[in-house]
Amino acid sequence: MRGIRKTLASQRQEPITLSTMSTTPIRVAVTGAAGQISYSLLFRIASGAMFGPEQPVILQMIEVPFEKPMKALEGVAMELEDCAFPLLKGMVVTGDAKIGFKDANWCLLVGAKPRGPGMERADLLKDNGKIFIEQGQIIDAVAADNARVAVVGNPANTNCMIAASQAKRLTPDRFTAMVRLDQNRAQAQLANKAGVDLTEVESIFIYGNHSPTMFPSFAHAKIGGKPAMEVITDTEWLKGPFCETVGKRGAAIIAARGASSAASAANALVDHVHDLMIPGKIHSVAVKSNGAYGFDPEVWAGMPVKTTAPGAYEVISGFEMCDFCKSKIASTNKELVEERDAVKSMLG
Ligand code: NAX
């Protein structure tokens, strides 16, 4: 296990630009840093994709404190060094979450226990619950005052709820879970079906759980400025194959690639955080529902949000829900409530 490495800035020969010198680095803590998502994610963050080309960063990479993952993480840090990213001003490589989350401005909770063969979903919820109780407590104790948390490790919505429940200093709105991969998948599917450029598809939002029960709400999407349902008139496709393809895309990737989504998941997390830092951005984020759109007030559910200030957002309310939409939301809400009930004893 290692402590804080000397910052890369001190090893660099190239001049540092004025804008970089006057900007305090954002400290980004990433768990599961030796995993496959992080192998793409860390390099995107260090290159400026998440916080922009002027914003320096310090990566605080956290793994489980065992020899194999820590050694692998050392290798990742070596590769980051070898990229000579001008924005990367320091790295922390650690198996100790108290060191890794110290003063972090963003805590990206990617690491989680995978579902093993024959493992029940309830066991997965409980095993991961323990990880997120601990991480929620540590983040609350040691992260920066302006800390924001984004949960990717599955079951992401419920893990996020558990972590948030442990926090006394950081309010629940600081804790979000990622449904952006589902939004991006839905956007691509609609563009393919309509035969238009991806950028013509707007306002496609994900409601509910990051699981096959999620609802990609085609009813409010726009294609080329028109309602998607006017452009794609095959309503049966929208209600059936479209929702199923988006909901089961993760399994389809595993079947094709022999491994779960990694680069696209990392890309979605870059989008998630990037859009939460830019006021005016409208996107799907899993947040504490507070009863919006008929969700149980205590669950974390995907829904449309508008970023109001860096790291702050408001839920966009007022989308009219048809009976089909209401039934989809009810079914994903039911699953979220069941997950919450399974971990009730773990909520702080
Ligand atoms: P990997 O198994 O490749 O990596 C996970 C890493 O996390 C491992 O290196 C492991 O040692 C580490 N880890 C486990 N517990 C930890 C802890 N307590 N502290 C620090 N590190 C810990 O998985 P990967 O493919 O990177 O996926 C990571 C998580 O993302 C999984 O839970 C996966 O299910 C989830 N996903 C979530 C998605 C979403 O849209 N919300 C999509 C992609 C992905 O499936």
Side-chain angles (χ1 to χ4, degrees):
M1 205 186 305
R2 290 176 64 162
I4 297 175
R5 295 164 70 101
K6 64 186 166 199
T7 66
L8 289 182
S10 65
Q11 302 167 342
R12 288 270 156 76
Q13 300 304 312
E14 77 266 33
I16 297 171
T17 65
L18 256 184
S19 62
T20 309
M21 279 201 300
S22 61
T23 311
T24 309
I26 292 180
R27 291 181 171 270
V28 190
V30 180
T31 69
Q36 54 154 1
I37 292 177
S38 291
Y39 192 63
S40 176
L41 174 69
L42 293 164
F43 297 83
R44 300 280 309 278
I45 299 171
S47 74
M50 188 174 269
F51 298 104
E54 300 290 318
Q55 177 59 57
V57 293
I58 293 173
L59 287 173
Q60 307 190 165
M61 299 174 280
I62 307 167
E63 256 298 339
V64 283
F66 302 125
E67 196 184 340
K68 204 170 162 203
M70 290 309 298
K71 199 153 181 265
L73 185 53
E74 285 288 343
V76 173
M78 286 160 69
E79 282 204 76
L80 280 161
E81 213 163 1
D82 293 347
C83 288
F85 287 120
L87 294 173
L88 183 58
K89 299 305 180 196
M91 290 190 278
V92 175
V93 173
T94 184
D96 182 344
K98 291 192 193 73
I99 294 173
F101 289 126
K102 182 94 180 85
D103 299 328
N105 307 107
W106 271 94
C107 304
L108 309 181
L109 309 189
V110 180
K113 186 170 174 177
R115 191 170 181 169
M119 194 177 183
E120 294 295 331
R121 190 168 170 81
D123 295 330
L124 180 75
L125 283 162
K126 285 192 178 130
D127 283 0
N128 275 302
K130 288 178 204 145
I131 294 174
F132 287 84
I133 287 175
E134 192 193 7
Q135 292 184 350
Q137 289 173 352
I138 295 173
I139 290 167
D140 198 46
V142 306
D145 283 340
N146 70 355
R148 276 13 187 211
V149 181
V151 178
V152 173
N154 279 320
N157 299 50
T158 296
N159 289 340
C160 186
M161 175 181 64
I162 292 170
S165 79
Q166 302 301 317
K168 307 279 175 281
R169 178 176 60 115
L170 302 174
T171 47
D173 58 293
R174 304 291 190 89
F175 291 77
T176 60
M178 187 174 95
V179 287
R180 183 58 180 263
L181 180 54
D182 311 304
Q183 178 188 310
N184 290 350
R185 287 167 171 169
Q187 184 181 357
Q189 292 298 319
L190 289 180
N192 285 347
K193 180 75 173 174
V196 300
D197 189 82
L198 191 87
T199 54
E200 296 207 24
V201 179
E202 291 174 303
S203 302
I204 174 72
F205 302 118
I206 303 297
Y207 291 82
N209 207 359
H210 169 67
S211 85
T213 67
M214 81 184 76
F215 176 43
S217 177
F218 55 82
H220 309 113
K222 295 261 167 67
I223 299 178
K226 292 187 195 153
M229 293 182 74
E230 279 179 21
V231 179
I232 300 173
T233 51
D234 184 352
T235 310
E236 290 315 303
W237 178 82
L238 288 166
K239 287 181 173 176
F242 167 67
C243 290
E244 274 162 35
T245 301
V246 177
K248 295 182 179 164
R249 186 71 164 181
I253 302 279
I254 292 173
R257 206 173 84 87
S260 56
S261 320
S264 56
N267 176 68
L269 186 55
V270 169
D271 288 345
H272 174 109
V273 175
H274 176 270
D275 284 2
L276 277 172
M277 293 298 281
I278 300 196
K281 286 282 182 186
I282 292 176
H283 49 127
S284 309
V285 180
V287 299
K288 187 176 183 203
S289 96
N290 292 319
Y293 291 104
F295 281 99
D296 183 287
E298 297 303 319
V299 300
W300 260 249
M303 53 185 76
V305 308
K306 181 175 184 181
T307 303
T308 52
Y313 55 84
E314 62 189 19
V315 170
I316 301 171
S317 55
F319 282 118
E320 283 293 320
M321 292 293 170
C322 62
D323 287 347
F324 176 79
C325 301
K326 283 182 190 157
S327 74
K328 295 293 280 183
I329 286 177
S331 106
T332 192
N333 179 58
K334 180 170 174 283
E335 184 181 51
L336 286 168
V337 169
E338 284 166 4
E339 287 188 10
R340 185 200 56 198
D341 290 349
V343 298
K344 214 163 203 166
S345 63
M346 301 181 132
L347 300 175

